[in-house]
Structure formats: structure tokens, C-alpha cells
């Protein structure tokens, strides 16, 4: 039997969140956190609306998932996020001991890989899923922003 | 004329916050953010009480200061914090472009220095102020915790 709840399914949900950020004029990044095929947190970047550099999609999703679980460690959880996490978010994911991170687009300037941020040894990581969709939304955002200024 | 509002004065305020965390059974770390000799944010670690790995003193202080200022960049602001920031907090401070960070105790295991986290080029940093007071409170906390288990 085919499981409809695969990585692509959940990344599409993260992309829906990124689209919601885009619609609000926010840098379009979205995230969901999943445990046993169930989405327990959805979030999108809100740094402009909240005037808060800490309001990245991942940070909100971590807080939300921990609140749902009633514990701060995200054991058996997977984060799907449309852009590679930054130092701050990777640092938060380190503390959360999350089991898996799946990201779409690579952030070659400020992603945790190029910045050398350490993840928890328990955390598995993979990148590139639906990268094209995530990147195109980001590119569209920055092109439109440039044309407005 | 002597200015009573020097770095030591504000670090003592951060230590008061650390003591407040200690009194709640939290890892005792406290922070204040100051602009023009005025404290605009006070916070202490609340990771246990909020069940949230993102609830470090610095993260709350950043959000609070930005809220006070009505903008997300902490220009002309100084963070006083009783323990060297971790990857997550240093990553958030990077985004905030804060002008100065003064920390007390060094975190040789998980501090941003040993972890190699990048701060913003605009940010000045100094460590070691009231280090003894901050370290002793942390040591006391961990000794007592060990004896309880």
C-alpha cells in the first residue's frame, strides 16, 4: 500500500505556509512539524509583522510543537521547512534534539551548513526536496520587492 | 562626574534576573537590554516553566526590546547577559544587529565562541564582567540539582 503521507506531502504543507508568508509581504519561508504522520505545528515567517528577528517559521514551529507535546524535546518529530535553517534556528533545533530535518532550498549565504552551526547528534538531515518550488517563491518575492523600491 | 550607570551596574541587573530564574528552578541565566542608560528589556531563562527550548533569557530580551523600540533592529543597544550566548541566541543577536554584547561567565562547552557562531560585523563583544558571581550561581544550581536526583 502506498502511504500518502510521505516527505513530499508534508513539504507541500510547508510550502503552503511559505505562500501564506508571501501573501503577507514576509520573506516566504514555511514550516511544519510532524510526528507519526500527524502535523502538530504549522508556522510561517512573521519577522516583519511582529517586528521580531526571532519570528522565523522554525522558531514558532518548535515552540508550538513543544506546547502540543507538553515537553520541550522533539523526539520522533520531523521538521519540514522550505529554506535551510539559519544559525539561530539550527541552534534552537540543536536544543530540541529533533529527530529529523527536511529542508527544500539551500541557503548558501546564511544557512547553517555554510555558517558551521552544530546540530544535535540525534538529528538526521536532508535537503533539496521540492527545492525548485521553494526557491522560485523566494526569488519572486525578492524580485518584486526590488521593483517596489 | 561619575556615571552610576556603567557596565557593572547593568550586569548586576542581569544577575538579579539570573537569581529570579534560580528561584524558579530554572538554569540561572539573566539578561537586560539597555539603550542610552535605560533598561528596555529584562528577562530570565524560562525553558522549564514554558517547556520551550527557545525561552532563553536573551531570546525573550530581544523580542521584548524590539517590541519596546517598535523595530526589529537593536541599533545603539547593549545586551548584558550572565552567561555567554549559545548558537541560537548568538544567531538571533546576529539578525538583530545589536551594537554591543557584554557577558559575564564563559560557556566553554556551548558558548557561541567555541561553537563558531558568527555575530554581526556591527556588534562589539566583551566577556568576563562579574564572571565570578554569575559562575557561582550556575555552579550552585547544578550542585543542588545533582543532589536532588
Amino acid at each position: 500500500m502506498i502511504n500518502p503521507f510521505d516527505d513530499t506531502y508534508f513539504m507541500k504543507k510547508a510550502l503552503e505556509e511559505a505562500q501564506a508568508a508571501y501573501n503577507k509581504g514576509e520573506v516566504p519561508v514555511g514550516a511544519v512539524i510532524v510526528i507519526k504522520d500527524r502535523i502538530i505545528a504549522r508556522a510561517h515567517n512573521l519577522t516583519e509583522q511582529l517586528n521580531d528577528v526571532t519570528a522565523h517559521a522554525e522558531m514558532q514551529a518548535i515552540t508550538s510543537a513543544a506546547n502540543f507535546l507538553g515537553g520541550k524535546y522533539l523526539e520522533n518529530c520531523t521538521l519540514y521547512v522550505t529554506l535551510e535553517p539559519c544559525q539561530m534556528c539550527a541552534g534552537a533545533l540543536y536544543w530540541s534534539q529533533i529527530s529529523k530535518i527536511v529542508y527544500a532550498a539551500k541557503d548558501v549565504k546564511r544557512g547553517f551548513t555554510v555558517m558551521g552551526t552544530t546540530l544535535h547528534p540525534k538529528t538526521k538531515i536532508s535537503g533539496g526536496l521540492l527545492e525548485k518550488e521553494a526557491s522560485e517563491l523566494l526569488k519572486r518575492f525578492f524580485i518584486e520587492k526590488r521593483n517596489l523600491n
Side-chain angles (χ1 to χ4, degrees), chain A:
Chain A
M1 214 178 85
I2 295 169
N3 181 2
F5 302 116
D6 59 3
D7 283 351
T8 304
Y9 174 85
F10 292 117
M11 189 59 86
K12 280 183 181 165
K13 295 296 177 188
L15 278 166
E16 285 175 20
E17 289 295 320
Q19 184 65 50
Y22 178 91
N23 296 347
K24 292 174 181 171
E26 299 276 354
V27 176
V29 180
V32 300
I33 293 179
V34 172
I35 188 166
K36 292 179 188 166
D37 289 343
R38 182 175 173 192
I39 295 175
I40 59 169
R42 298 168 196 263
H44 52 265
N45 180 37
L46 284 174
T47 49
E48 295 304 319
Q49 196 164 318
L50 299 180
N51 257 333
D52 186 351
V53 296
T54 76
H56 282 191
E58 302 95 310
M59 300 300 283
Q60 298 174 68
I62 292 166
T63 298
S64 182
N67 187 48
F68 176 87
L69 294 170
K72 63 191 170 125
Y73 297 116
L74 304 182
E75 209 182 345
N76 300 317
C77 290
T78 300
L79 168 76
Y80 295 87
V81 58
T82 60
L83 181 64
E84 185 188 347
C86 72
Q87 299 186 116
M88 171 180 71
C89 295
L93 291 161
Y94 168 88
W95 290 121
S96 80
Q97 304 187 14
I98 197 162
S99 300
K100 196 175 162 189
I101 300 168
V102 183
Y103 65 85
K106 205 164 176 58
D107 186 346
V108 292
K109 278 192 185 169
R110 285 162 169 175
F112 77 92
T113 312
V114 71
M115 298 301 257
T117 314
T118 303
L119 289 174
H120 197 277
K122 284 183 189 167
T123 306
K124 286 177 194 160
I125 179 103
S126 78
L129 180 67
L130 302 186
E131 182 169 12
K132 198 172 153 240
E133 289 82 344
S135 294
E136 275 175 4
L137 189 60
L138 282 159
K139 272 181 209 157
R140 183 145 50 98
F141 175 81
F142 287 111
I143 288 167
E144 283 173 10
K145 208 181 165 196
R146 206 175 305 145
N147 291 344
L148 283 174
N149 291 335

